Amino acid sequence: MKLDMRSKLFLVVVAVLVVSFLVADTYLSRVLDADLTARIRNDLQVRLNFLEKEASAFEASFDEQTQWKALADDLSARGEGRVTILLKDGTVLGDSGMDMSEIAHAQAHADRPEVQQAFSGGQGFSVRWSSTLKQRMIYMAVPFQREGVVVGAIRFAKPLTEVELALKNLRNSILSATGIAFLVSVFLTIFLSFWMSKNVRRLTSSARKMASGDLTERTHIEGRDEFAELGRVLNQLASELQNALDELRKERDLMNRVLEGMQEGVLLLGKDGRVVFANMALRNLLHLSVDVTGKSQLELIRNATLKRIMDEAKFSTEPVSAEFEVHSRRLLVHASAFKGEPQGMLAVFVDVTDLRRLETLRRDFVANVSHELRTPIAAVRSSAETLRRIVEVQPELSDEFIGIIERNTERLHQLVEDLLDFSHIESKEFRLALEDVDLEDSISQTLSMFQKQADAKSMRFSKAIPESTPFVRADRRRLEQVLSNLLDNAIKYGAEDTPVHIGVEVLHEFVRVSVRDAGQGIEAQHLPRLFERFYRVDAGRSREVGGTGLGLSIVKHLVEAMHGWVSVESTPGKGSTFHFTLPVAQSVA
């Protein structure tokens, strides 16, 4: 049952009154009971002292119960209460509340608490319910003596009628006050609830309009109380929410324009696996209808590979990427699941049909050319060696031609080797044997391999390797191949009698290696394309020194395969510096 504010306020007031009545009744009753009982006890103490003297001076024998009964009656009349005279063993000698026949069969009173206290401490006191008189009684007892010896006790009892009456009057007074307070509270509750509910109704009406979407609504409640403050907060909330919604609409519209303008297909699935959004590019790629919202993934396209990719991404913490074919097109999909709320999945589709076709053509071309050129290269080299032996008698006529054959043969051989390396590096079967490599050792070994070539041009090697250089994570053979390509270029294109410097720098989690020459340098417009395959700054000079146009491209691919990157700096007329980075070995970092 739903209660309104008036009912709740009324119930709260009633609950407060009931609790107040119970607390007041409990507390005041205890205080009044204790106070009146203490007063009665003091009064009984005075009376009991008088009775004790009378009992101690009474000279009747303990066998004369009739006289003791008479004494008890006399003392009861004078003390205005019930008097019981007991021997030390609890036997009743006389009792103003019993006749002689009852006294003769009366139970011993030795177990009464006030009697026990009287014999042990000189005075006994007890308040308890009397089952005989059906009311609460106060009992006090003191011992009496004969010839200085305690022989018995005299007990005085009086009903707490005055206390009970006082408590009853108190409870009636509290109840009457509570009733009056209840009537007053009813009128106050009606007034307060009407006053409060008026503002609450206004706040509720405004809040409903805001909740329904009318964020221009305002509460218009004046004042400084809590309702006015709540009204101002609601107004501020509505204003900020309106601004936030406007921003969200702008962002949504911008995002929709971006998504619709993308060449890549974008698919957004909800947590139930149904389509929330699909842009125009995706609908064109998959030949979908315009309205795909709410459909399942399998309703869009039935492809086992795509389903496997999406299922794998659903339970993966990392994005999942793979390719699949559909409608004679090859698509690359990147799928990732949303973590937390809202749940769902995002997939981006890229048409890589032309790219894959070109890559296939290029790989096939490199492999075929390399295979076809091996035989003529071997034949040319064999012919050159045979020619050199035949024409030994006239070397002045043959040396020039033999040198040309050898140089071209060597260049073709290097081209074939570079083509094979490049084809192998770009193939899916290419795998690196990564290990922790001592960079200084690899640099030293590579420099020793090129020392003879450098001496031929009077070039000098220098290196700057910090002692604290850590090991790097790399393929040792491929690292030496990278160094060899860079050193070979530095010697080929560097000027005679100039230095070639190898530098090493530690960059937190990476180590950067630099190879600097003092050659003629490279123009700035060539630098962005320098690592492209077959790209030459000066084609004539490259062929003259035996370049194939693949060395730097191989360097770039190998370094990136080892999770590093390459860069180049060059100033025309002053030389060039090639950089590459490698990750620090985890066991050393």
Side-chain angles (χ1 to χ4, degrees):
M1 181 177 61
K2 184 177 180 181
L3 300 177
D4 57 10
M5 177 177 286
R6 296 182 184 183
S7 301
K8 291 180 180 178
L9 185 60
F10 177 76
L11 291 177
V12 168
V13 172
V14 171
V16 170
L17 291 175
V18 171
V19 171
S20 300
F21 170 77
L22 294 177
V23 171
D25 179 69
T26 302
Y27 175 75
L28 294 178
S29 296
R30 289 183 179 180
V31 171
L32 182 61
D33 185 18
D35 182 67
L36 294 178
T37 302
R39 293 184 180 184
I40 294 174
R41 178 178 179 178
N42 293 334
D43 180 65
L44 293 183
Q45 178 67 46
V46 175
R47 299 184 188 186
L48 194 59
N49 290 336
F50 167 74
L51 298 180
E52 185 270 332
K53 292 180 180 180
E54 292 289 333
S56 297
F58 195 61
E59 297 180 353
S61 171
F62 293 141
D63 295 332
E64 299 175 355
Q65 289 188 343
T66 303
Q67 297 184 29
W68 287 101
K69 162 66 174 169
L71 177 61
D73 291 341
D74 180 52
L75 295 177
S76 173
R78 286 186 289 173
E80 298 180 352
R82 181 178 177 180
V83 176
T84 304
I85 303 173
L86 311 169
L87 289 178
K88 197 171 183 180
D89 60 358
T91 302
V92 177
L93 290 178
D95 192 319
S96 62
M98 301 181 185
D99 55 25
M100 288 301 300
S101 60
E102 291 176 333
I103 293 174
H105 299 90
Q107 184 180 2
H109 285 34
D111 59 342
R112 302 296 194 272
E114 64 276 6
V115 176
Q116 293 178 351
Q117 293 173 15
F119 287 131
S120 61
Q123 185 180 28
F125 171 77
S126 176
V127 175
R128 62 178 182 272
W129 178 262
S130 173
S131 57
T132 303
L133 301 177
K134 305 300 181 182
Q135 58 182 334
R136 202 158 60 102
M137 302 285 292
I138 181 172
Y139 297 91
M140 290 192 68
V142 293
F144 67 91
Q145 303 177 358
R146 276 194 178 181
E147 298 178 0
V149 178
V150 175
V151 294
I154 182 168
R155 186 183 72 174
F156 192 79
K158 189 172 183 180
L160 296 176
T161 306
E162 297 178 2
V163 176
E164 297 297 334
L165 181 60
L167 291 176
K168 182 178 180 181
N169 292 335
L170 174 65
R171 189 169 289 111
N172 291 335
S173 298
I174 294 175
L175 187 60
S176 299
T178 303
I180 295 172
F182 175 77
L183 294 176
V184 174
S185 65
V186 169
F187 291 105
L188 290 178
T189 300
I190 294 174
F191 173 75
L192 289 175
S193 62
F194 177 79
W195 175 75
M196 294 173 63
S197 63
K198 178 180 67 174
N199 288 332
V200 171
R201 286 194 300 270
R202 292 176 61 183
L203 289 173
T204 303
S205 176
S206 297
R208 283 200 181 99
K209 292 180 181 179
M210 294 176 184
S212 63
D214 183 9
L215 297 180
T216 60
E217 171 68 17
R218 295 297 181 264
T219 57
H220 304 295
I221 296 181
E222 303 296 334
R224 296 183 179 181
D225 58 6
E226 290 80 359
F227 293 106
E229 181 65 23
L230 178 58
R232 286 190 288 270
V233 171
L234 282 176
N235 293 339
Q236 181 181 0
L237 179 62
S239 178
E240 293 179 354
L241 186 58
Q242 180 66 55
N243 294 334
L245 288 176
D246 292 340
E247 290 296 326
L248 287 175
R249 290 190 186 100
K250 293 179 182 178
E251 292 180 5
R252 180 198 61 191
D253 295 340
L254 177 60
M255 185 61 65
N256 287 336
R257 288 195 294 270
V258 170
L259 291 174
E260 290 298 336
M262 290 177 60
Q263 296 298 318
E264 295 80 9
V266 178
L267 176 65
L268 179 61
L269 301 178
K271 64 180 181 180
D272 57 355
R274 297 191 174 274
V275 177
V276 176
F277 174 81
N279 68 346
M280 180 63 70
L282 179 66
R283 294 197 292 269
N284 292 335
L285 284 175
L286 301 181
H287 304 299
L288 303 176
S289 61
V290 176
D291 187 14
V292 295
T293 304
K295 294 184 179 179
S296 65
Q297 173 194 330
L298 290 178
E299 289 181 84
L300 295 183
I301 178 172
R302 295 184 179 274
N303 185 282
T305 304
L306 178 59
K307 185 178 186 305
R308 177 186 59 79
I309 295 170
M310 302 296 278
D311 290 342
E312 184 179 350
K314 185 184 301 183
F315 302 101
S316 175
T317 57
E318 299 293 334
V320 177
S321 301
E323 295 182 11
F324 69 100
E325 292 186 0
V326 60
H327 302 311
S328 301
R329 306 295 293 177
R330 189 161 189 83
L331 303 181
L332 172 64
V333 58
H334 303 278
S336 60
F338 297 143
K339 305 305 177 186
E341 292 293 336
Q343 298 178 359
M345 185 176 299
L346 175 67
V348 179
F349 297 78
V350 182
D351 188 354
V352 294
T353 306
D354 295 336
L355 178 62
R356 295 294 178 256
R357 183 169 61 250
L358 291 175
E359 289 179 351
T360 302
L361 291 174
R362 191 265 309 158
R363 284 195 297 267
D364 292 344
F365 169 77
V366 172
N368 291 335
V369 169
S370 301
H371 179 74
E372 294 295 332
L373 288 179
R374 278 189 172 182
T375 300
I377 288 173
V380 170
R381 295 189 69 180
S382 176
S383 299
E385 293 173 0
T386 304
L387 179 61
R388 182 178 293 278
R389 290 193 297 270
I390 293 176
V391 296
E392 288 180 352
V393 294
Q394 292 180 319
E396 68 280 0
L397 300 177
S398 59
D399 285 348
E400 182 179 353
F401 297 100
I402 292 173
I404 294 173
I405 293 174
E406 287 181 339
R407 286 195 303 272
N408 281 277
T409 301
E410 185 61 31
R411 191 181 71 81
L412 289 173
H413 177 72
Q414 186 61 46
L415 176 61
V416 171
E417 293 298 327
D418 286 349
L419 285 171
L420 289 174
D421 274 345
F422 199 83
S423 178
H424 178 58
I425 291 171
E426 288 199 332
S427 67
K428 292 184 178 180
E429 292 76 20
F430 178 67
R431 295 290 185 272
L432 292 174
L434 297 178
E435 58 180 323
D436 296 347
V437 179
D438 185 345
L439 188 59
E440 182 177 5
D441 181 59
S442 295
I443 291 175
S444 298
Q445 290 186 17
T446 308
L447 288 175
S448 65
M449 293 167 53
F450 286 87
Q451 188 62 55
K452 185 176 180 180
Q453 186 177 339
D455 291 341
K457 294 185 66 174
S458 300
M459 301 180 76
R460 305 178 304 279
F461 287 140
S462 65
K463 59 181 180 179
I465 305 176
E467 294 183 359
S468 59
T469 300
F471 282 23
V472 295
R473 190 69 177 170
D475 184 311
R476 185 184 301 274
R477 187 170 69 87
R478 296 299 182 179
L479 172 58
E480 292 178 358
Q481 183 179 356
V482 170
L483 290 169
S484 297
N485 282 351
L486 294 178
L487 286 172
D488 185 57
N489 285 347
I491 294 172
K492 285 179 180 179
Y493 299 105
E496 293 186 1
D497 196 24
T498 58
V500 174
H501 180 73
I502 310 293
V504 174
E505 182 182 3
V506 180
L507 304 174
H508 190 46
E509 297 181 353
F510 290 86
V511 175
R512 185 171 72 172
V513 181
S514 304
V515 179
R516 184 176 72 242
D517 63 62
Q520 63 183 3
I522 305 169
E523 297 290 340
Q525 67 268 23
H526 298 293
L527 296 181
R529 300 189 58 191
L530 202 57
F531 292 97
E532 293 182 9
R533 67 199 73 172
F534 296 110
Y535 184 80
R536 292 184 175 89
V537 176
D538 185 345
R541 185 163 184 267
S542 296
R543 291 191 178 94
E544 181 183 343
V545 297
T548 64
L550 291 174
L552 291 179
S553 184
I554 291 174
V555 167
K556 178 177 182 293
H557 280 76
L558 287 177
V559 171
E560 290 179 350
M562 292 185 285
H563 309 293
W565 63 90
V566 296
S567 61
V568 61
E569 299 173 357
S570 184
T571 302
K574 294 185 178 181
S576 304
T577 303
F578 289 85
H579 307 283
F580 69 91
T581 63
L582 293 172
V584 173
Q586 294 299 317
S587 59
V588 181

